[in-house]
PDB file of all heavy atoms in Angstrom:
ATOM      1  N   ASP A1046    -112.513 -53.087 100.931  1.00 98.00           N
ATOM      2  CA  ASP A1046    -113.431 -52.200 100.218  1.00 98.00           C
ATOM      3  C   ASP A1046    -112.837 -51.640  98.931  1.00 98.00           C
ATOM      4  O   ASP A1046    -113.468 -50.822  98.267  1.00 98.00           O
ATOM      5  CB  ASP A1046    -113.856 -51.040 101.118  1.00 98.00           C
ATOM      6  CG  ASP A1046    -114.721 -51.524 102.264  1.00 98.00           C
ATOM      7  OD1 ASP A1046    -115.703 -52.241 101.977  1.00 98.00           O
ATOM      8  OD2 ASP A1046    -114.403 -51.220 103.426  1.00 98.00           O
ATOM      9  N   PHE A1047    -111.639 -52.046  98.596  1.00 98.00           N
ATOM     10  CA  PHE A1047    -111.063 -51.549  97.340  1.00 98.00           C
ATOM     11  C   PHE A1047    -111.436 -52.486  96.197  1.00 98.00           C
ATOM     12  O   PHE A1047    -111.421 -53.698  96.341  1.00 98.00           O
ATOM     13  CB  PHE A1047    -109.537 -51.433  97.413  1.00 98.00           C
ATOM     14  CG  PHE A1047    -108.964 -50.855  96.139  1.00 98.00           C
ATOM     15  CD1 PHE A1047    -109.103 -49.508  95.855  1.00 98.00           C
ATOM     16  CD2 PHE A1047    -108.337 -51.675  95.204  1.00 98.00           C
ATOM     17  CE1 PHE A1047    -108.626 -48.978  94.661  1.00 98.00           C
ATOM     18  CE2 PHE A1047    -107.849 -51.152  94.011  1.00 98.00           C
ATOM     19  CZ  PHE A1047    -107.997 -49.803  93.748  1.00 98.00           C
ATOM     20  N   THR A1048    -111.812 -51.909  95.070  1.00 98.00           N
ATOM     21  CA  THR A1048    -112.081 -52.697  93.870  1.00 98.00           C
ATOM     22  C   THR A1048    -111.752 -51.859  92.648  1.00 98.00           C
ATOM     23  O   THR A1048    -111.998 -50.655  92.629  1.00 98.00           O
ATOM     24  CB  THR A1048    -113.551 -53.160  93.804  1.00 98.00           C
ATOM     25  OG1 THR A1048    -113.801 -53.700  92.502  1.00 98.00           O
ATOM     26  CG2 THR A1048    -114.524 -52.013  94.049  1.00 98.00           C
ATOM     27  N   LEU A1049    -111.204 -52.515  91.637  1.00 98.00           N
ATOM     28  CA  LEU A1049    -110.950 -51.815  90.374  1.00 98.00           C
ATOM     29  C   LEU A1049    -112.219 -51.739  89.535  1.00 98.00           C
ATOM     30  O   LEU A1049    -112.284 -50.974  88.563  1.00 98.00           O
ATOM     31  CB  LEU A1049    -109.863 -52.545  89.571  1.00 98.00           C
ATOM     32  CG  LEU A1049    -108.422 -52.446  90.084  1.00 98.00           C
ATOM     33  CD1 LEU A1049    -107.509 -53.333  89.248  1.00 98.00           C
ATOM     34  CD2 LEU A1049    -107.923 -50.997  90.053  1.00 98.00           C
ATOM     35  N   ALA A1050    -113.220 -52.546  89.889  1.00 97.00           N
ATOM     36  CA  ALA A1050    -114.418 -52.619  89.048  1.00 97.00           C
ATOM     37  C   ALA A1050    -115.238 -51.330  89.118  1.00 97.00           C
ATOM     38  O   ALA A1050    -115.983 -51.018  88.198  1.00 97.00           O
ATOM     39  CB  ALA A1050    -115.269 -53.812  89.446  1.00 97.00           C
ATOM     40  N   ASN A1051    -115.122 -50.610  90.215  1.00 98.00           N
ATOM     41  CA  ASN A1051    -115.870 -49.349  90.336  1.00 98.00           C
ATOM     42  C   ASN A1051    -114.926 -48.182  90.014  1.00 98.00           C
ATOM     43  O   ASN A1051    -113.959 -47.942  90.739  1.00 98.00           O
ATOM     44  CB  ASN A1051    -116.449 -49.204  91.746  1.00 98.00           C
ATOM     45  CG  ASN A1051    -117.125 -47.848  91.923  1.00 98.00           C
ATOM     46  OD1 ASN A1051    -116.572 -46.922  92.488  1.00 98.00           O
ATOM     47  ND2 ASN A1051    -118.323 -47.725  91.392  1.00 98.00           N
ATOM     48  N   PRO A1052    -115.196 -47.439  88.933  1.00 98.00           N
ATOM     49  CA  PRO A1052    -114.263 -46.380  88.532  1.00 98.00           C
ATOM     50  C   PRO A1052    -114.006 -45.343  89.627  1.00 98.00           C
ATOM     51  O   PRO A1052    -112.875 -44.893  89.786  1.00 98.00           O
ATOM     52  CB  PRO A1052    -114.940 -45.744  87.317  1.00 98.00           C
ATOM     53  CG  PRO A1052    -115.769 -46.840  86.727  1.00 98.00           C
ATOM     54  CD  PRO A1052    -116.264 -47.628  87.915  1.00 98.00           C
ATOM     55  N   ASN A1053    -115.021 -44.974  90.393  1.00 98.00           N
ATOM     56  CA  ASN A1053    -114.794 -43.964  91.441  1.00 98.00           C
ATOM     57  C   ASN A1053    -113.799 -44.473  92.483  1.00 98.00           C
ATOM     58  O   ASN A1053    -112.928 -43.728  92.945  1.00 98.00           O
ATOM     59  CB  ASN A1053    -116.100 -43.603  92.154  1.00 98.00           C
ATOM     60  CG  ASN A1053    -117.025 -42.771  91.278  1.00 98.00           C
ATOM     61  OD1 ASN A1053    -116.654 -42.375  90.177  1.00 98.00           O
ATOM     62  ND2 ASN A1053    -118.222 -42.522  91.761  1.00 98.00           N
ATOM     63  N   ARG A1054    -113.930 -45.746  92.848  1.00 98.00           N
ATOM     64  CA  ARG A1054    -113.044 -46.298  93.873  1.00 98.00           C
ATOM     65  C   ARG A1054    -111.616 -46.395  93.320  1.00 98.00           C
ATOM     66  O   ARG A1054    -110.650 -46.023  93.979  1.00 98.00           O
ATOM     67  CB  ARG A1054    -113.578 -47.666  94.335  1.00 98.00           C
ATOM     68  CG  ARG A1054    -112.857 -48.303  95.509  1.00 98.00           C
ATOM     69  CD  ARG A1054    -112.860 -47.448  96.776  1.00 98.00           C
ATOM     70  NE  ARG A1054    -114.134 -46.878  97.146  1.00 98.00           N
ATOM     71  CZ  ARG A1054    -115.105 -47.491  97.825  1.00 98.00           C
ATOM     72  NH1 ARG A1054    -114.944 -48.738  98.242  1.00 98.00           N
ATOM     73  NH2 ARG A1054    -116.227 -46.861  98.124  1.00 98.00           N
ATOM     74  N   ALA A1055    -111.510 -46.863  92.079  1.00 98.00           N
ATOM     75  CA  ALA A1055    -110.176 -46.968  91.460  1.00 98.00           C
ATOM     76  C   ALA A1055    -109.526 -45.593  91.407  1.00 98.00           C
ATOM     77  O   ALA A1055    -108.353 -45.417  91.734  1.00 98.00           O
ATOM     78  CB  ALA A1055    -110.296 -47.576  90.067  1.00 98.00           C
ATOM     79  N   ARG A1056    -110.313 -44.578  91.001  1.00 98.00           N
ATOM     80  CA  ARG A1056    -109.778 -43.216  90.891  1.00 98.00           C
ATOM     81  C   ARG A1056    -109.390 -42.657  92.255  1.00 98.00           C
ATOM     82  O   ARG A1056    -108.427 -41.907  92.378  1.00 98.00           O
ATOM     83  CB  ARG A1056    -110.810 -42.292  90.242  1.00 98.00           C
ATOM     84  CG  ARG A1056    -110.853 -42.363  88.726  1.00 98.00           C
ATOM     85  CD  ARG A1056    -111.749 -41.270  88.144  1.00 98.00           C
ATOM     86  NE  ARG A1056    -113.158 -41.560  88.341  1.00 98.00           N
ATOM     87  CZ  ARG A1056    -113.952 -42.061  87.407  1.00 98.00           C
ATOM     88  NH1 ARG A1056    -113.496 -42.325  86.204  1.00 98.00           N
ATOM     89  NH2 ARG A1056    -115.218 -42.285  87.657  1.00 98.00           N
ATOM     90  N   SER A1057    -110.176 -43.005  93.295  1.00 98.00           N
ATOM     91  CA  SER A1057    -109.906 -42.398  94.610  1.00 98.00           C
ATOM     92  C   SER A1057    -108.500 -42.754  95.069  1.00 98.00           C
ATOM     93  O   SER A1057    -107.792 -41.916  95.617  1.00 98.00           O
ATOM     94  CB  SER A1057    -110.958 -42.826  95.641  1.00 98.00           C
ATOM     95  OG  SER A1057    -110.814 -44.192  95.959  1.00 98.00           O
ATOM     96  N   VAL A1058    -108.080 -43.993  94.830  1.00 98.00           N
ATOM     97  CA  VAL A1058    -106.758 -44.401  95.287  1.00 98.00           C
ATOM     98  C   VAL A1058    -105.698 -44.111  94.219  1.00 98.00           C
ATOM     99  O   VAL A1058    -104.704 -43.422  94.479  1.00 98.00           O
ATOM    100  CB  VAL A1058    -106.744 -45.900  95.658  1.00 98.00           C
ATOM    101  CG1 VAL A1058    -105.332 -46.341  96.034  1.00 98.00           C
ATOM    102  CG2 VAL A1058    -107.696 -46.156  96.818  1.00 98.00           C
ATOM    103  N   LEU A1059    -105.922 -44.614  93.010  1.00 98.00           N
ATOM    104  CA  LEU A1059    -104.873 -44.507  91.985  1.00 98.00           C
ATOM    105  C   LEU A1059    -104.756 -43.083  91.465  1.00 98.00           C
ATOM    106  O   LEU A1059    -103.657 -42.594  91.193  1.00 98.00           O
ATOM    107  CB  LEU A1059    -105.151 -45.478  90.842  1.00 98.00           C
ATOM    108  CG  LEU A1059    -105.280 -46.945  91.279  1.00 98.00           C
ATOM    109  CD1 LEU A1059    -105.623 -47.830  90.091  1.00 98.00           C
ATOM    110  CD2 LEU A1059    -103.999 -47.430  91.959  1.00 98.00           C
ATOM    111  N   GLY A1060    -105.890 -42.400  91.315  1.00 98.00           N
ATOM    112  CA  GLY A1060    -105.865 -41.013  90.833  1.00 98.00           C
ATOM    113  C   GLY A1060    -105.208 -40.099  91.861  1.00 98.00           C
ATOM    114  O   GLY A1060    -104.382 -39.254  91.527  1.00 98.00           O
ATOM    115  N   GLY A1061    -105.565 -40.289  93.121  1.00 97.00           N
ATOM    116  CA  GLY A1061    -104.978 -39.476  94.188  1.00 97.00           C
ATOM    117  C   GLY A1061    -103.478 -39.710  94.274  1.00 97.00           C
ATOM    118  O   GLY A1061    -102.679 -38.764  94.303  1.00 97.00           O
ATOM    119  N   PHE A1062    -103.104 -40.967  94.264  1.00 98.00           N
ATOM    120  CA  PHE A1062    -101.687 -41.315  94.382  1.00 98.00           C
ATOM    121  C   PHE A1062    -100.885 -40.746  93.198  1.00 98.00           C
ATOM    122  O   PHE A1062     -99.783 -40.222  93.371  1.00 98.00           O
ATOM    123  CB  PHE A1062    -101.567 -42.841  94.437  1.00 98.00           C
ATOM    124  CG  PHE A1062    -100.157 -43.331  94.585  1.00 98.00           C
ATOM    125  CD1 PHE A1062     -99.368 -42.916  95.653  1.00 98.00           C
ATOM    126  CD2 PHE A1062     -99.618 -44.216  93.664  1.00 98.00           C
ATOM    127  CE1 PHE A1062     -98.071 -43.381  95.795  1.00 98.00           C
ATOM    128  CE2 PHE A1062     -98.317 -44.690  93.805  1.00 98.00           C
ATOM    129  CZ  PHE A1062     -97.533 -44.263  94.873  1.00 98.00           C
ATOM    130  N   GLY A1063    -101.466 -40.825  92.013  1.00 97.00           N
ATOM    131  CA  GLY A1063    -100.760 -40.364  90.808  1.00 97.00           C
ATOM    132  C   GLY A1063    -100.421 -38.880  90.829  1.00 97.00           C
ATOM    133  O   GLY A1063     -99.464 -38.458  90.188  1.00 97.00           O
ATOM    134  N   VAL A1064    -101.226 -38.082  91.536  1.00 96.00           N
ATOM    135  CA  VAL A1064    -100.915 -36.645  91.582  1.00 96.00           C
ATOM    136  C   VAL A1064    -100.145 -36.272  92.856  1.00 96.00           C
ATOM    137  O   VAL A1064     -99.845 -35.102  93.079  1.00 96.00           O
ATOM    138  CB  VAL A1064    -102.184 -35.756  91.449  1.00 96.00           C
ATOM    139  CG1 VAL A1064    -102.857 -36.000  90.114  1.00 96.00           C
ATOM    140  CG2 VAL A1064    -103.162 -35.989  92.593  1.00 96.00           C
ATOM    141  N   ASN A1065     -99.845 -37.250  93.664  1.00 97.00           N
ATOM    142  CA  ASN A1065     -99.085 -37.012  94.901  1.00 97.00           C
ATOM    143  C   ASN A1065     -97.596 -37.101  94.542  1.00 97.00           C
ATOM    144  O   ASN A1065     -96.990 -38.168  94.559  1.00 97.00           O
ATOM    145  CB  ASN A1065     -99.473 -38.067  95.934  1.00 97.00           C
ATOM    146  CG  ASN A1065     -98.867 -37.775  97.295  1.00 97.00           C
ATOM    147  OD1 ASN A1065     -97.881 -37.042  97.403  1.00 97.00           O
ATOM    148  ND2 ASN A1065     -99.453 -38.349  98.330  1.00 97.00           N
TER     149      ASN A1065
END
Side-chain angles (χ1 to χ4, degrees):
D1046 292 309
F1047 183 74
T1048 169
L1049 288 175
N1051 175 260
N1053 288 354
R1054 187 59 47 83
R1056 278 189 286 260
S1057 69
V1058 176
L1059 303 177
F1062 181 57
V1064 298
N1065 188 339

